Amino acid sequence: MNLRLVWRDERLIDWVASLQNTTTPANNYILVHPSVKDKIWVPDVYFDHLKRIDQPAVLAKPTSLRMYGDCSFRYSARVTIAVSCPMDFHYYPADTQRCDFDLKSYGHTEDKLKLIWRENYGANFAYPVDLQNYYVGLDNQKQFVAKTLSGRTYSGLRYTIILTRKLSYHMLQTFLPSIVLVVVSWLSFLISLDAVPARAAVVMTCLLTLISMFSSVRQSTPNVSYVKAMDIWMVVCVFFVFSTLLEFTVALKIRAKKLKPKVQTKNLLIIEDSEIGKTKLEGGPSFGKNIPPGQPSPSDSRSKNEEIVQKLEFISSIGIPALFLLFNIIFWPWLIIGSQYNSHIDDTTRIDTEKVELFTNNNNNKFD
């Protein structure tokens, strides 16, 4: 970034006037060596939450110091900064991150030093920024006042970098392949239950491929302690493929199950025959090979099991895809609307265009 600071120190009016009389600079300023700033007063500004600042150089550091006739100074330097930025990944990969860059005064309170944007247009992009995985925007906020625990107030400036993640990468690499795998697992409903190896191979291949794909996706996703939108999608896709496998297992179990015949034991009735004088037992259980009336035959058991399996297959072949479709109807509006994805894209595009045009229109400023 190109950092430019402009301030005015009227205490140096005599020194500036003496230099102005001995030289005739263009544009009414003198370009002095940057080391002069060590001998004059400079604002004690710093970036809040700064982690690292670098200044690339070839032969000399890219810095300049201008001195104007009205005792104004403009310090310019090209620096690379890294700041700490808290991020929210609840809607990942449709998330939008806002990274604040706060420029504050360290030792001078607000009544002694007040920071303002030059001509009220603040930070800007010199040219449109296009990253491969993000839409980039810039939001300039007005100056703010930072208040300490002791009650002192310090002037500050803030600009915000807006990063909206592009969905195209994850749509092609994650969402569409996972949808295809879930749909392929439903093709097992078209395979007969008699072809157990073929049907099990289709579902198991889809399940293992899905788990492997999501394991590789998790390696590139941020590690956070809360649930992300991508986690919800992964778990639900695995659940629907597993439910197809579970339905196949239950259908095989029902088909192989045999209905146990109910043994009906009749009460023994003792009858005394007065003529013969013998006791006869009537109503005892039958031990013959013939099946008593009312008890199901093996063929009846098989037909009843087949009927249950057919109903289960029919309901599952319609219910599981319908539930997955319902999940998509709920998931995508929640992801796009809940994350305000479209509005963030519009804001980043509009901010980019406005800032570049504003930078172009103000490039004739005397401090540029």
Side-chain angles (χ1 to χ4, degrees):
M1 64 175 292
N2 292 324
L3 177 64
R4 293 177 180 177
L5 300 175
V6 179
W7 70 94
R8 187 177 181 183
D9 190 352
E10 296 182 353
R11 296 173 298 179
L12 302 177
I13 187 171
D14 295 334
W15 178 59
V16 173
S18 63
L19 295 177
Q20 290 286 339
N21 291 333
T22 57
T23 60
T24 57
N27 297 329
N28 198 30
Y29 72 85
I30 300 175
L31 185 63
V32 297
H33 195 273
S35 61
V36 175
K37 67 180 179 62
D38 298 330
K39 301 179 182 179
I40 61 176
W41 180 88
V42 294
D44 58 339
V45 295
Y46 72 101
F47 280 100
D48 201 6
H49 306 295
L50 182 67
K51 298 179 64 176
R52 187 183 70 255
I53 182 168
D54 299 323
Q55 195 169 14
V58 179
L59 297 177
K61 292 183 178 181
T63 58
S64 67
L65 182 62
R66 293 181 183 179
M67 183 176 62
Y68 291 84
D70 60 350
C71 299
S72 297
F73 293 86
R74 193 215 69 168
Y75 175 78
S76 179
R78 172 161 291 187
V79 295
T80 302
I81 63 175
V83 299
S84 175
C85 179
M87 297 185 177
D88 183 8
F89 295 105
H90 280 95
Y91 292 101
Y92 179 89
D95 56 318
T96 298
Q97 309 300 337
R98 301 178 65 91
C99 297
D100 296 331
F101 291 77
D102 294 342
L103 190 65
K104 300 179 182 179
S105 173
Y106 185 79
H108 296 82
T109 56
E110 184 187 14
D111 56 342
K112 296 180 180 178
L113 177 62
K114 187 173 183 180
L115 301 177
I116 59 173
W117 290 118
R118 188 186 64 191
E119 299 183 1
N120 293 323
Y121 73 90
N124 54 71
F125 288 132
Y127 49 86
V129 179
D130 185 17
L131 299 181
Q132 293 183 351
N133 295 325
Y134 294 94
Y135 298 103
V136 184
L138 178 64
D139 184 17
N140 283 312
Q141 301 185 9
K142 296 181 180 179
Q143 56 269 20
F144 66 96
V145 175
K147 189 174 182 180
T148 62
L149 296 177
S150 60
R152 295 185 177 89
T153 57
Y154 294 87
S155 178
L157 297 175
R158 172 179 296 171
Y159 67 92
T160 303
I161 300 293
I162 304 175
L163 300 173
T164 301
R165 197 181 306 273
K166 296 180 180 179
L167 271 176
S168 56
Y169 172 80
H170 287 282
M171 287 296 296
L172 296 176
Q173 300 294 327
T174 305
F175 291 111
L176 289 181
S178 59
I179 291 176
V180 170
L181 289 174
V182 173
V183 173
V184 168
S185 69
W186 299 339
L187 298 180
S188 63
F189 292 122
L190 303 178
I191 303 175
S192 174
L193 284 175
D194 296 329
V196 176
R199 187 163 178 174
V202 171
V203 182
M204 287 300 300
T205 301
C206 293
L207 182 61
L208 295 178
T209 304
L210 201 61
I211 294 175
S212 177
M213 183 182 69
F214 287 154
S215 298
S216 62
V217 169
R218 285 190 62 85
Q219 293 178 1
S220 60
T221 57
N223 295 324
V224 292
S225 59
Y226 47 83
V227 178
K228 305 183 293 292
M230 179 64 76
D231 298 332
I232 297 175
W233 177 266
M234 292 191 297
V235 171
V236 171
C237 287
V238 172
F239 169 76
F240 275 99
V241 176
F242 177 76
S243 64
T244 304
L245 180 62
L246 181 63
E247 184 275 338
F248 174 57
T249 305
V250 173
L252 289 179
K253 183 66 175 178
I254 294 176
R255 193 181 187 187
K257 185 178 180 181
K258 296 181 179 179
L259 294 178
K260 296 181 179 179
K262 297 180 180 179
V263 179
Q264 297 178 354
T265 303
K266 296 182 180 180
N267 296 328
L268 296 177
L269 179 61
I270 302 175
I271 302 175
E272 183 71 25
D273 192 341
S274 58
E275 295 180 357
I276 304 176
K278 297 181 179 179
T279 301
K280 297 190 296 181
L281 297 178
E282 294 185 356
S286 175
F287 299 97
K289 295 182 180 180
N290 295 329
I291 299 176
Q295 294 187 7
S297 63
S299 60
D300 294 337
S301 301
R302 285 194 296 269
S303 62
K304 188 172 294 185
N305 289 343
E306 288 291 342
E307 183 180 353
I308 296 175
V309 169
Q310 289 179 2
K311 289 182 180 180
L312 178 62
E313 288 278 290
F314 178 76
I315 295 174
S316 300
S317 62
I318 296 178
I320 293 178
L323 289 176
F324 187 72
L325 179 62
L326 178 63
F327 165 72
N328 279 269
I329 293 175
I330 297 174
F331 177 80
W332 290 107
W334 167 78
L335 183 65
I336 302 300
I337 298 175
S339 63
Q340 299 180 352
Y341 186 77
N342 291 328
S343 62
H344 287 310
I345 293 178
D346 295 338
D347 290 342
T348 54
T349 304
R350 176 179 54 81
I351 290 171
D352 274 350
T353 305
E354 289 181 354
K355 293 306 174 184
V356 173
E357 290 179 353
L358 191 57
F359 175 78
T360 304
N361 294 334
N362 289 274
N363 59 3
N364 294 323
N365 187 279
K366 73 172 185 176
F367 294 114
D368 290 332

